[in-house]
């Protein structure tokens, strides 16, 4: 029979085959490799016309910043996006998988995907893995039944809320929401509030930092504002410039740009097979 | 599949070297409703008759032309239920390819994988071959493409092809009318004329189905009113 392109576990759920071996290794003094966690501040809120999702862009590996500008707002469907906190690989893989399942579902039903469908698929997957898939998600979108916002915890429980925060910076962001959120916010007010909440996480939590990403979803339209705000700019070149001491004679100057411009030739010869 | 009592193949060779079940499957295709496809210079069109068994059937609920990916569509001749199974499998394979390689599946690859499924069912235990031939229309980096896939699992790329009841007349008609530099609109007109050749009764937007894919690489099925517009142009 056809071999699946992607290897899935035969009967679903976590395979506990190697647990005994891992325990034995730990007892013998092996240090388990650490995984890339996203630290993170992720938020979502429902405003007048739909849903706004926000996230910071720092990915941490213990005390080290592994990625200064990663993307934490993942695509699920044209009208549904999901912010992910926890282990980066887990959030990426799980959102990718559910996005794929929803595409097939859309072909079969001929209808726009609903947020509760994505919610059910995500929570049942996470529950099957009993919390070992470390993904804490903020799922938001607008479908025929209206705007929806949910939080999903790694063990598979969910909440439906008008405003939500997750991740290590969630308390900092929630403080902003609790004092300033009200129903029926306009788009500008909503975006400003989300940006403020993320900034609060960025500056007050070590696990969050760098820039603010925002995604605004309304009926029939979505706007992905990547790096909407960059409150932590970096300078790579000293503004003072370089000058040599008086005794050195400048013979020639050659400036090599760090980024090469690539010229793409349209309609060139195809590569040989 | 291997453990059951039907682990022997139902499709076995005849003394003359033919697989009789596949021949019969092709007969089933040949008695199905006519469908055809034409590859233009800037797109592909596929069309089929939509003759319903009774006037009481809600024709809006019947859709023979299906979308597989945003840039690939398919039409069949033969047994509808068999085509549904293949469409489902093809969609899943296209999606798996996309998840693995993060690029839209090329038309040739999807055709190859669908054909492989059809071939499996001619060499597995306890199953029969599919009673459909598919016409796959797609537009990718290599341009517009049209493939026909048969119950045996063999596939060919065509400039224009027809299948089903009126196949010989339709193919002769297409041979006469086809030109390499045809544009998509001309191709749609030619497709309608070809269908008209063997059509019993009055042709209208409600008893034929047309799917097109143009340079925008978006496959879509035309609405009955759009088909009526084309029909009027043809008259």
């Amino acid at each position: 029979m056809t071999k699946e392109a992607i290897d899935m576990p035969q009967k679903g759920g976590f395979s506990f085959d190697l647990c005994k071996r891992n325990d034995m290794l730990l007892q013998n003094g092996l240090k388990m490799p650490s995984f890339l966690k996203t630290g993170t501040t992720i938020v979502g809120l429902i405003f007048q016309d739909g849903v706004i999702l926000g996230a910071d862009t720092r990915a941490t590996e213990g005390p080290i910043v592994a990625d200064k500008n990663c993307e934490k707002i993942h695509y699920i469907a044209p009208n549904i996006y999901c912010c992910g906190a926890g282990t980066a690989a887990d959030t990426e893989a799980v959102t990718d998988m559910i996005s794929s399942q929803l595409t097939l579902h859309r072909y079969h039903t001929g209808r726009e995907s609903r947020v509760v469908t994505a919610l059910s698929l995500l929570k049942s997957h996470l529950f099957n893995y009993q919390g070992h898939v470390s993904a804490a998600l903020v799922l938001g979108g607008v479908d025929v039944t209206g705007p929806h916002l949910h939080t999903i915890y790694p063990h598979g429980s969910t909440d439906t809320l008008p405003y939500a925060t997750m991740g290590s910076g969630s308390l900092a962001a929630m403080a902003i929401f609790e004092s300033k959120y009200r129903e029926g916010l306009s788009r500008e007010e909503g975006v400003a509030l989300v940006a403020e909440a993320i900034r609060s996480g960025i500056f007050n939590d070590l696990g969050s930092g760098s820039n603010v990403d925002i995604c605004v979803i309304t009926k029939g339209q979505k706007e992905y504002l990547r790096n909407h705000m960059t409150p932590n700019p970096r300078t790579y070149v000293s503004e003072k410039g370089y000058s040599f001491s008086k005794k050195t004679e400048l013979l020639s100057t050659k400036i090599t740009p760090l980024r090469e411009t690539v010229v793409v030739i349209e309609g060139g010869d195809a590569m040989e097979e | 599949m291997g453990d059951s009592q039907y682990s022997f193949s139902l499709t076995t060779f005849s003394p003359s070297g033919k697989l009789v079940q596949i021949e019969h499957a092709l007969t089933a295709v040949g008695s199905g409703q006519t469908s055809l496809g034409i590859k233009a210079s800037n797109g592909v069109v596929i069309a089929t008759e939509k003759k319903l068994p009774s006037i009481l059937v809600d024709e809006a609920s019947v859709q023979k032309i299906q979308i597989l990916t945003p840039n690939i569509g398919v039409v069949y001749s033969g047994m509808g239920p068999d085509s549904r199974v293949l469409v489902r499998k093809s969609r899943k394979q296209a999606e798996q390819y996309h998840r693995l390689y993060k690029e839209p599946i090329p038309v040739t690859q999807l055709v190859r994988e669908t054909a492989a499924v059809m071939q499996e069912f001619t060499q597995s235990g306890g199953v029969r071959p599919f009673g459909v031939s598919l016409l796959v229309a797609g537009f990718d980096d290599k341009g517009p493409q049209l493939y026909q896939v048969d119950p045996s699992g063999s596939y060919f790329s065509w400039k224009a092809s027809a299948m089903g009841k009126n196949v010989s007349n339709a193919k002769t008609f297409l041979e006469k009318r086809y030109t390499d530099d045809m544009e998509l609109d001309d191709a749609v007109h030619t497709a309608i004329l070809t269908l008209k050749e063997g059509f019993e009764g009055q042709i209208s937007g409600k008893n034929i189905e047309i799917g097109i894919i143009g340079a925008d690489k978006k496959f879509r099925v035309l609405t009955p009113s759009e088909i009526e517009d084309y029909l009027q142009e043809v008259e």
Side-chain angles (χ1 to χ4, degrees):
Chain A
M1 281 286 146
T2 335
K3 188 166 188 276
E4 299 265 318
I6 305 204
D7 255 73
M8 301 283 257
Q10 287 300 84
K11 286 193 172 83
F14 194 70
S15 165
F16 291 91
D17 295 340
L18 291 171
C19 286
K20 256 193 163 173
R21 181 207 74 160
N22 291 345
D23 279 339
M24 186 268 290
L25 285 171
L26 272 174
Q27 272 165 18
N28 287 358
L30 172 77
K31 191 163 162 259
M32 290 290 271
S34 72
F35 31 78
L36 186 66
K37 287 187 77 81
T38 53
T40 307
T41 310
I42 50 174
V43 306
L45 64 73
I46 297 188
F47 74 110
Q48 207 171 50
D49 308 320
V51 172
I52 306 179
L53 299 172
D56 74 301
T57 61
R58 175 182 287 181
T60 51
E61 206 171 310
I64 304 171
V65 175
D67 192 345
K68 291 187 275 272
N69 205 2
C70 72
E71 281 185 35
K72 297 186 191 178
I73 304 184
H74 308 287
Y75 168 88
I76 301 269
N79 57 324
I80 305 172
Y81 275 76
C82 183
C83 305
T87 308
D90 287 342
T91 58
E92 293 245 4
V94 111
T95 50
D96 212 35
M97 219 178 68
I98 265 71
S99 165
S100 196
Q101 283 176 11
L102 280 180
T103 309
L104 281 174
H105 192 245
R106 274 200 299 283
Y107 281 136
H108 292 145
T109 58
R111 292 189 168 102
E112 192 186 55
S113 296
R114 299 191 184 192
V115 184
V116 286
T117 316
L119 181 71
S120 304
L121 288 170
L122 283 164
K123 76 192 279 186
S124 56
H125 180 85
L126 291 174
F127 180 74
N128 275 342
Y129 283 80
Q130 288 293 295
H132 289 282
V133 173
S134 183
L137 311 165
V138 171
L139 176 72
V142 180
D143 57 31
V144 283
T145 53
H148 297 273
L149 181 68
H150 304 278
T151 51
I152 309 167
Y153 293 84
H155 285 264
S157 63
T158 58
D159 287 322
T160 309
L161 300 159
Y163 55 94
T165 67
M166 293 279 259
S168 55
S170 62
L171 265 60
M174 190 50 99
I176 302 288
F177 273 173
E178 288 288 11
S179 62
K180 293 190 183 176
Y181 180 83
R182 58 182 167 76
E183 280 186 34
L185 288 163
S186 73
R187 190 183 177 280
E188 288 75 28
E189 290 172 331
V191 171
L193 184 57
V194 164
E196 210 186 322
I198 298 288
R199 272 203 320 280
S200 164
I202 285 174
F203 292 120
N204 297 300
D205 173 46
L206 285 179
S208 317
S210 297
N211 314 314
V212 180
D213 278 354
I214 296 205
C215 187
V216 184
I217 310 172
T218 52
K219 192 167 175 59
Q221 206 200 18
K222 54 136 192 279
E223 256 184 272
Y224 188 83
L225 304 166
R226 169 84 173 138
N227 288 5
H228 170 72
M229 227 182 240
T230 48
N232 295 300
R234 275 227 50 194
T235 48
Y236 290 91
V237 180
S238 166
E239 290 149 5
K240 288 181 254 177
Y242 300 100
S243 63
F244 300 101
S245 64
K246 283 172 263 189
K247 287 184 191 142
T248 319
E249 205 185 309
L250 181 62
L251 295 172
S252 69
T253 309
K254 184 183 172 197
I255 300 177
T256 318
L258 283 173
R259 275 201 191 160
E260 288 208 36
T261 47
V262 176
V263 176
V264 176
I265 309 167
E266 289 280 315
D269 294 329
M271 274 186 357
E272 281 178 31
E273 299 244 317
Chain B
M1 276 267 191
D3 286 355
S4 78
Q5 286 185 313
Y6 293 97
S7 58
F8 55 87
S9 176
L10 305 174
T11 311
T12 49
F13 280 108
S14 73
S16 57
K18 289 193 189 149
L19 286 163
V20 191
Q21 278 300 302
I22 295 181
E23 307 280 325
H24 293 336
L26 285 164
T27 316
V29 169
S31 56
Q33 289 179 11
T34 315
S35 60
L36 55 93
I38 302 175
K39 181 168 73 172
S41 59
N42 60 343
V44 192
V45 59
I46 46 178
T48 180
E49 283 181 6
K50 195 163 75 168
K51 281 263 184 61
L52 298 163
S54 141
I55 53 164
L56 292 173
V57 176
D58 178 9
E59 89 273 332
S61 69
V62 176
Q63 200 173 62
K64 290 177 71 179
I65 300 186
Q66 300 279 9
I67 186 169
L68 296 180
T69 72
N71 63 329
I72 306 175
V74 70
V75 73
Y76 71 91
S77 269
M79 298 168 69
D82 283 8
S83 81
R84 279 204 297 273
V85 169
L86 285 168
V87 164
R88 212 181 169 102
K89 279 192 202 266
S90 302
R91 281 174 176 163
K92 191 162 188 190
Q93 279 165 340
E95 198 46 43
Q96 281 177 344
Y97 182 99
H98 178 73
R99 266 187 67 198
L100 195 53
Y101 298 108
K102 286 287 181 286
E103 67 149 351
I105 190 170
V107 187
T108 40
Q109 292 286 30
L110 187 56
V111 167
R112 202 174 297 179
E113 292 190 18
T114 309
V117 170
M118 291 169 91
Q119 191 281 340
E120 251 178 68
F121 279 68
T122 66
Q123 214 178 9
S124 301
V127 295
R128 61 161 175 82
F130 286 98
V132 281
S133 273
L134 301 173
L135 269 175
V136 181
F139 202 133
D140 62 12
D141 301 330
K142 290 256 164 70
Q145 290 164 76
L146 177 69
Y147 284 90
Q148 177 172 343
V149 195
D150 283 334
S152 59
S154 60
Y155 59 90
F156 299 99
S157 175
W158 291 85
K159 295 180 192 174
S161 180
M163 336 179 286
K165 264 190 216 132
N166 212 20
V167 63
S168 45
N169 285 348
K171 278 200 173 167
T172 327
F173 191 89
L174 283 171
E175 272 174 33
K176 282 194 217 139
R177 285 222 154 194
Y178 184 83
T179 59
D180 280 321
D181 54 359
M182 211 181 233
E183 293 227 333
L184 191 55
D185 277 341
D186 301 326
V188 178
H189 292 141
T190 311
I192 291 175
L193 286 168
T194 318
L195 277 178
K196 235 177 157 190
E197 280 284 295
F199 204 88
E200 292 160 22
Q202 177 73 310
I203 199 170
S204 84
K206 290 201 180 150
N207 49 25
I208 60 169
E209 238 180 84
I210 301 180
I212 56 168
I213 179 161
D216 61 352
K217 293 191 192 169
K218 284 203 169 49
F219 181 83
R220 64 186 194 87
V221 181
L222 298 180
T223 63
S225 48
E226 281 174 316
I227 299 179
E228 292 284 350
D229 291 339
Y230 276 109
L231 278 169
Q232 280 176 6
E233 284 172 27
V234 164
E235 302 281 326

